[in-house]
């Protein structure tokens, strides 16, 4: 069966989103590296990158990608659009290899593959999204006990990461910075969905911006986005881009699906087979993430060993 016109449009938007988002990681990393040579780096709390054009080009690329991704959901189902986000990892890794000279060890490549397979498994077996007709309906779902508990848990975990873990482990463990971005991002997506519904209904003739709920969600999205941008910059300025991109994608996707299941009660429509398959997907993601962390520095070792071998050969020749 051929794809409908709307599905083709959604597919093209999702593909373009992956290209823009994948490129943004590389462009922003270039800007951060240049800014680090002229001022205090983002990893140490500096904001010199705000004066660097390359960083702004990267931000614009990411914004365009996110807008394209958001628009894709208006044409195609989530089961088609969401898995394509993994393509940004591949595109980013390829650009990092050729432009930034950042190479992954073979096990790191395997880790990326496991992450993408696990994420795709979860998304393909996730239930269909609940149809929302008004911002007030989203507000009602967001203020139910289950999602309030999740939101409080996210706020507490993010606070602990920022206050306790960042000063002690931020420079050594990628999951600290990426964890902050991913946990916050799960709330951002819920807010974006509410704002998107408000804009859609407003364009259709029913003004949703007269309700305080719309403005609350808008302010929440802006605040969460600023927090994500800050710590994503720190992650990119500290760790290998080819590792940041897949780990961020995996954690962000996992937390977002979990938040959506709580808020929209998607779990109620799933059978045991789907739940078991999703669990397998999570195990695959964890395996891939572990492999990425354990091998993130192995790509540079052959070069170091080769240098040592050449030095040994030269010394033996001299003697």
């Amino acid at each position: 069966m051929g794809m409908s016109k709307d599905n083709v449009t959604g597919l093209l938007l999702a593909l373009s989103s992956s290209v823009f988002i994948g490129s943004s990681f590389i462009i922003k990393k270039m800007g951060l590296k240049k800014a680090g040579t002229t001022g205090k780096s983002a990893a140490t709390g500096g904001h010199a990158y705000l004066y660097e054009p390359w960083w702004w080009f990267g931000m614009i690329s990411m914004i365009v990608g996110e807008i394209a991704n958001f628009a894709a959901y208006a044409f195609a189902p989530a089961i088609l659009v969401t898995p394509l986000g993994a393509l940004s990892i591949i595109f980013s890794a390829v650009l990092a290899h050729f432009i930034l000279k950042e190479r992954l060890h073979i096990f790191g490549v395997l880790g990326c593959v496991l992450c993408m397979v696990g994420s795709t498994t979860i998304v393909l077996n996730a239930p269909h999204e609940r149809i929302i007709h008004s911002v007030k309906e989203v507000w009602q779902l967001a203020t139910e006990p289950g999602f309030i508990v999740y939101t409080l848990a996210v706020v507490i975990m993010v606070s602990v990461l920022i206050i306790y873990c960042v000063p002690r482990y931020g420079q050594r463990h990628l999951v600290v910075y990426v964890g902050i971005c991913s946990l916050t991002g799960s709330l951002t997506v819920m807010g974006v969905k509410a704002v998107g519904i408000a804009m859609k209904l407003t364009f259709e003739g029913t003004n949703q911006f007269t309700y305080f709920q719309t403005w609350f969600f808008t302010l929440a999205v802006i605040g969460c986005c600023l927090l994500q941008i800050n710590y994503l910059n720190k992650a990119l300025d500290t760790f290998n881009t080819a590792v940041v991109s897949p780990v961020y994608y995996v954690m962000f996707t996992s937390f977002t699906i979990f938040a959506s299941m709580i808020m929209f009660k998607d779990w109620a429509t799933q059978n045991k087979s789907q739940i078991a398959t999703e669990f397998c997907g999570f195990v695959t993601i964890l395996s891939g993430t572990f492999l990425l962390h354990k091998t993130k520095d192995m790509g540079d070792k052959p070069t170091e060993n080769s240098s040592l071998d050449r030095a040994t050969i030269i010394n033996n020749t001299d003697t």
Side-chain angles (χ1 to χ4, degrees), residues 3 6-18 65-88 120 123-124 129 249 253:
M3 295 182 67
D6 283 350
N7 274 12
V8 171
T9 302
L11 175 62
L12 293 176
L13 284 169
L15 290 174
S16 64
S17 171
S18 295
E66 293 295 348
I67 291 174
N69 188 60
F70 180 76
Y73 284 99
F75 294 94
I79 198 170
L80 172 64
V81 177
T82 308
L84 295 178
L87 296 178
S88 64
T120 303
V123 172
L124 290 177
E129 292 182 356
Y249 168 76
T253 301

Side-chain angles (χ1 to χ4, degrees), residues 16 32 38 59-60 102-103 132 154 229 249 274 286 298:
S16 64
L32 289 169
T38 58
M59 273 303 303
I60 292 172
E102 296 179 353
R103 291 176 171 80
I132 304 297
V154 168
I229 290 171
Y249 168 76
Q274 290 173 315
L286 292 175
M298 291 178 67

Side-chain angles (χ1 to χ4, degrees), residues 197-268:
I197 290 172
M199 294 179 66
K200 179 181 178 182
L201 293 176
T202 299
F203 289 143
E204 291 176 351
T206 307
N207 188 2
Q208 299 291 304
F209 287 88
T210 58
Y211 303 118
F212 83 90
Q213 290 95 334
T214 302
W215 294 105
F216 176 86
F217 284 124
T218 302
L219 293 175
V221 168
I222 293 173
C224 289
C225 284
L226 291 176
L227 185 65
Q228 285 179 257
I229 290 171
N230 181 47
Y231 284 97
L232 182 59
N233 285 333
K234 292 179 182 293
L236 287 172
D237 201 30
T238 307
F239 302 99
N240 190 314
T241 307
V243 178
V244 173
S245 181
V247 173
Y248 174 65
Y249 168 76
V250 168
M251 293 183 67
F252 171 75
T253 301
S254 301
F255 284 125
T256 299
I257 291 176
F258 187 61
S260 180
M261 290 178 67
I262 294 175
M263 185 169 177
F264 298 107
K265 313 244 180 348
D266 295 327
W267 52 268

